[in-house]
């Protein structure tokens, strides 16, 4: 009789645990109202054309950022940390051998990506702040980051227009 109650209790616990859905990256993107950012973006700078392509990969478990400038190309991959339901990790690689690691956050209605980039010569901490909308375009501002993670004033800003 006791074994039956223990078995029933384990079944109820397993069922309840299975009903608690794990947060997914697509849910976090939706909660941040960031769906409009997906697609191809372009801008012109003094040194030439810059493109940014934001896309889903691996059944919407990974967001891919592909950036091309006249002198550099970067691919970044963002995914939900499997040990957390809210932390989105970023891993980036460029054609110069730089490896970047970071975390995404939603701050004052803007998506903030704090990254630490490592080359053979040095380590750089910075942040990219993504703001805007599908009508006005995507504004990306680049900031230094102090030892406490606070953003310095923007070093540069780039406004992208969506490519149709």
């Amino acid at each position: 009789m006791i074994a039956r109650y223990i078995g029933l209790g384990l079944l109820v616990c397993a069922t309840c645990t299975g009903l608690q859905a794990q947060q997914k990256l697509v849910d976090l993107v939706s909660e941040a109202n960031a769906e409009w950012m997906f697609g191809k973006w372009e801008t012109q700078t003094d040194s030439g054309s810059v493109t940014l392509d934001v896309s889903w990969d691996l059944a919407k478990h990974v967001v891919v950022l592909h950036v091309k400038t006249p002198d550099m190309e970067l691919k970044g991959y963002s995914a939900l940390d499997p040990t957390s339901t809210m932390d989105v990790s970023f891993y980036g690689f460029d054609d110069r051998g730089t490896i970047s690691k970071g975390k995404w956050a939603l701050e004052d209605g803007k998506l903030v990506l704090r990254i630490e980039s490592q080359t053979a010569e040095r380590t750089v901490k910075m942040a990219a702040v993504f703001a805007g909308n599908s009508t006005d375009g995507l504004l990306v501002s680049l900031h230094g980051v102090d030892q406490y993670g606070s953003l310095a004033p923007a070093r540069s800003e780039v406004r992208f227009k969506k490519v149709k």
Side-chain angles (χ1 to χ4, degrees):
M1 190 68 146
I2 291 177
R4 180 181 290 169
Y5 288 123
I6 291 173
L8 181 59
L10 289 174
L11 181 61
V12 169
C13 286
T15 303
C16 290
T17 303
L19 292 176
Q20 294 175 352
Q22 172 91 14
Q23 184 86 350
K24 295 184 180 184
L25 184 57
V26 70
D27 299 329
L28 292 177
V29 168
S30 179
E31 288 173 17
N33 294 316
E35 297 96 344
W36 64 271
M37 290 176 50
F38 285 80
K40 191 166 188 168
W41 299 85
E42 187 174 65
T43 193
Q44 291 296 320
T45 66
D46 293 338
S47 58
S49 178
V50 178
T51 61
L52 168 64
D53 191 10
V54 182
S55 62
W56 285 109
D57 202 359
L58 301 174
K60 292 191 175 184
H61 288 283
V62 176
V63 172
V64 180
L65 299 176
H66 188 188
V67 179
K68 284 187 181 182
T69 73
D71 56 358
M72 189 252 324
E73 183 172 1
L74 170 129
K75 285 195 178 179
Y77 303 90
S78 299
L80 189 62
D81 184 331
T83 63
S84 167
T85 59
M86 297 302 288
D87 290 333
V88 179
S89 297
F90 172 87
Y91 300 93
F93 310 91
D94 72 21
D95 61 355
R96 300 176 186 172
T98 303
I99 297 175
S100 302
K101 297 177 186 175
K103 294 279 185 192
W104 287 93
L106 187 60
E107 298 175 18
D108 298 323
K110 298 175 183 174
L111 285 169
V112 178
L113 174 59
R114 283 181 174 75
I115 61 172
E116 184 172 297
S117 298
Q118 183 72 47
T119 67
E121 297 82 32
R122 64 187 180 135
T123 300
V124 175
K125 290 183 179 182
M126 63 172 287
V129 178
F130 296 79
N133 56 56
S134 59
T135 305
D136 299 328
L138 174 62
L139 180 65
V140 179
S141 56
L142 302 177
H143 300 259
V145 176
D146 70 16
Q147 65 188 10
Y148 305 107
S150 298
L151 301 182
R155 294 179 183 169
S156 65
E157 291 184 339
V158 180
R159 183 167 299 279
F160 290 88
K161 293 290 180 189
K162 196 133 195 189
V163 177
K164 296 180 184 196

